[in-house]
């Protein structure tokens, strides 16, 4: 008689080697997209074309004057969130808020406005939930959402959504942003359960989001120069994902659209990395990435996967504050 967890694993055509390749691909993809995009963050496509032709190498610089291979808040906050999840063996808002606070104390190279406000609120009154505000629909909680997608792989939809929103609401609490967040987490999780239909199913999730809210309709005009407003960001991400058929092409497509390019790069990096896997990442990008960041991403990808219901056979743990 197989155990309950073994039966669950059978249902999804369990493929540990593939799963590990895709988890590593997602986490390295996040950091690579961040490092690649940061060079052209806040530039327009025309400015990028003038300076770089097509921007396709990790070279640092940009408005943050980064070292080649250096990453920004998108990857750093993801690693902070991942650490908090691993520390608790699950999700506790207070531990996540403390991890974000600890990160802010390291004087990061960049911090989003809504992120800073949320962390300062936690410092001031200890609260771990931002008040709902429709103007908080920035991309800051989605850029760091990958650890949730990995740690809740194989969980019920309810637990996955609860975990995603728990981390988001520490700083960002807008229903419009939650919709985009949940769609992105579902896309990554669909990619992780690889099959010939994965890419088509991921696009279906993006189209379903567009049908749910016109803000996310990416089928109309090309989204160039995307802002940090999550619908803008995700329209650029989905268009680049839909127009390309590989990791490298997808990332080059999205970062050359400029705007919040480190964040479109980070989000598409983890979505496409989950689908195409670490083996599809060009070696020039892997070697250009800061080696400490590279190792931290690899380690967290595996540890979060081990914690996930699909590998542990246990439900996601939620720990009250
Ligand atoms: Mn950034
Ligand atoms: Mn950004």
């Amino acid at each position: 008689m197989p155990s309950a967890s073994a039966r669950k694993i059978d249902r999804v055509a369990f493929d540990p080697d593939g799963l590990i390749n895709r988890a590593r691909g997602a986490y390295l993809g996040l950091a690579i997209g961040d490092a690649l995009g940061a060079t052209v963050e806040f530039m327009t496509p025309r400015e990028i074309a003038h300076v770089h032709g097509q921007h396709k190498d990790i070279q640092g610089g940009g408005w943050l004057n980064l070292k080649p291979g250096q990453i920004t808040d998108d990857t750093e906050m993801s690693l902070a969130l991942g650490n908090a999840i691993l520390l608790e063996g699950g999700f506790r808002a207070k531990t996540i808020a403390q991890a974000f606070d600890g990160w802010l104390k390291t004087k990061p190279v960049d911090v989003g406005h809504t992120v800073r406000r949320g962390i300062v609120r936690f410092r001031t009154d200890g609260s771990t939930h931002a008040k709902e505000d429709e103007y908080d629909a920035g991309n800051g909680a989605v850029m760091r959402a990958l650890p949730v997608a990995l740690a809740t792989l194989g969980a019920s939809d309810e637990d996955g959504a609860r975990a995603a929103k728990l981390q988001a609401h520490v700083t960002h609490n807008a229903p419009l942003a939650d919709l985009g967040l949940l769609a992105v987490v579902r896309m990554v999780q669909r990619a992780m359960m690889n099959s010939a239909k994965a890419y088509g199913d991921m696009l279906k999730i993006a189209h379903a989001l567009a049908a749910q809210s016109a803000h996310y309709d990416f089928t109309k005009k090309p989204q160039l120069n995307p802002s940090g407003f999550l619908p803008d960001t995700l329209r650029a991400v989905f268009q680049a994902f839909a127009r390309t058929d590989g990791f490298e092409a997808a990332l080059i497509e999205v970062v050359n659209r400029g705007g919040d390019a480190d964040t479109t790069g980070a989000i598409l990096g983890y979505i496409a990395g989950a689908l195409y896997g670490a083996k599809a990442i060009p070696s020039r990008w892997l070697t250009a990435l800061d080696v400490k960041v590279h190792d931290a991403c690899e380690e967290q990808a595996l540890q979060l996967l081990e914690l996930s219901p699909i590998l542990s056979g246990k439900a996601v743990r939620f720990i009250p504050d």
Side-chain angles (χ1 to χ4, degrees):
M1 184 70 188
S3 69
S5 65
R7 281 201 304 276
K8 184 170 191 177
I9 285 167
D10 284 346
R11 268 211 314 274
V12 295
F14 184 56
D15 165 22
D17 291 344
L19 208 56
I20 289 168
N21 178 41
R22 291 190 291 277
R24 290 177 59 232
Y27 227 126
L28 292 167
L30 155 70
I32 283 169
D34 183 7
L36 180 72
T39 303
V40 294
E41 190 181 20
F42 301 135
M43 292 172 75
T44 64
R46 188 191 291 258
E47 287 164 348
I48 295 168
H50 182 72
V51 176
H52 297 282
Q54 188 184 51
H55 174 55
K56 55 183 185 180
D57 287 309
I58 294 176
Q59 55 190 255
W63 75 282
L64 295 170
N65 197 21
L66 299 172
K67 296 193 273 287
Q70 191 179 350
I71 45 84
T72 76
D73 50 340
D74 308 58
T75 308
E76 288 171 351
M77 288 202 86
S78 300
L79 289 167
L81 172 60
N83 275 331
I85 296 167
L86 292 168
L87 197 67
E88 293 288 356
F91 291 83
R92 185 177 183 223
K94 188 174 177 187
T95 306
I96 293 169
Q98 283 168 339
F100 293 163
D101 188 14
W103 164 75
L104 188 58
K105 287 185 176 126
T106 67
K107 301 207 185 305
V109 61
D110 192 21
V111 189
H113 169 74
T114 308
V115 165
R116 182 187 294 280
R117 198 182 52 193
I119 296 171
V120 168
R121 185 211 67 242
F122 169 69
R123 269 182 203 170
T124 308
D125 65 12
S127 66
T128 55
H129 291 82
K131 275 207 193 70
E132 188 176 310
D133 184 339
E134 63 173 316
Y135 296 105
D136 281 352
N139 58 25
V142 176
M143 73 182 191
R144 66 179 187 231
L146 174 65
V148 178
L150 296 178
T152 65
L153 195 64
S156 66
D157 287 351
E158 293 72 30
D159 281 358
R162 182 177 168 194
K165 289 197 271 191
L166 181 132
Q167 75 82 14
H169 292 183
V170 173
T171 55
H172 293 65
N173 188 357
L176 181 64
D178 286 349
L179 284 179
L181 167 71
L182 297 185
V184 167
V185 168
R186 278 198 296 272
M187 286 173 77
V188 172
Q189 294 187 329
R190 181 63 194 82
M192 295 291 297
M193 297 296 125
N194 194 27
S195 75
K197 289 196 333 197
Y199 180 66
D201 286 350
M202 292 165 76
L203 285 175
K204 275 187 202 156
I205 295 168
H207 282 289
L209 174 65
Q212 218 176 351
S213 164
H215 284 287
Y216 290 103
D217 188 353
F218 61 101
T219 64
K220 304 275 157 53
K221 72 176 186 12
Q223 177 64 60
L224 302 175
N225 205 21
S227 75
F229 180 53
L230 184 63
D232 276 15
T233 304
L234 289 189
R235 286 198 306 271
V237 165
F238 294 157
Q239 286 172 4
F241 184 64
R243 285 182 57 156
T244 54
D245 61 2
F247 180 84
E248 182 178 10
L251 275 199
I252 290 174
E253 166 77 33
V254 87
V255 299
N256 281 279
R257 291 168 181 243
D260 196 354
D262 63 322
T263 304
T264 58
I267 296 170
L268 186 52
Y270 72 68
I271 292 175
L275 178 67
Y276 301 117
K279 289 174 190 158
I281 299 178
S283 61
R284 76 175 193 284
W285 285 351
L286 284 172
T287 52
L289 189 62
D290 180 291
V291 68
K292 279 201 190 115
V293 171
H294 179 286
D295 292 352
C297 290
E298 291 249 15
E299 197 181 326
Q300 271 206 4
L302 299 185
Q303 289 178 340
L304 291 165
L305 202 54
E306 272 171 26
L307 184 68
S308 71
I310 203 156
L311 284 200
S312 71
K314 293 185 194 142
V316 178
R317 271 188 80 205
F318 292 95
I319 302 105
D321 284 347

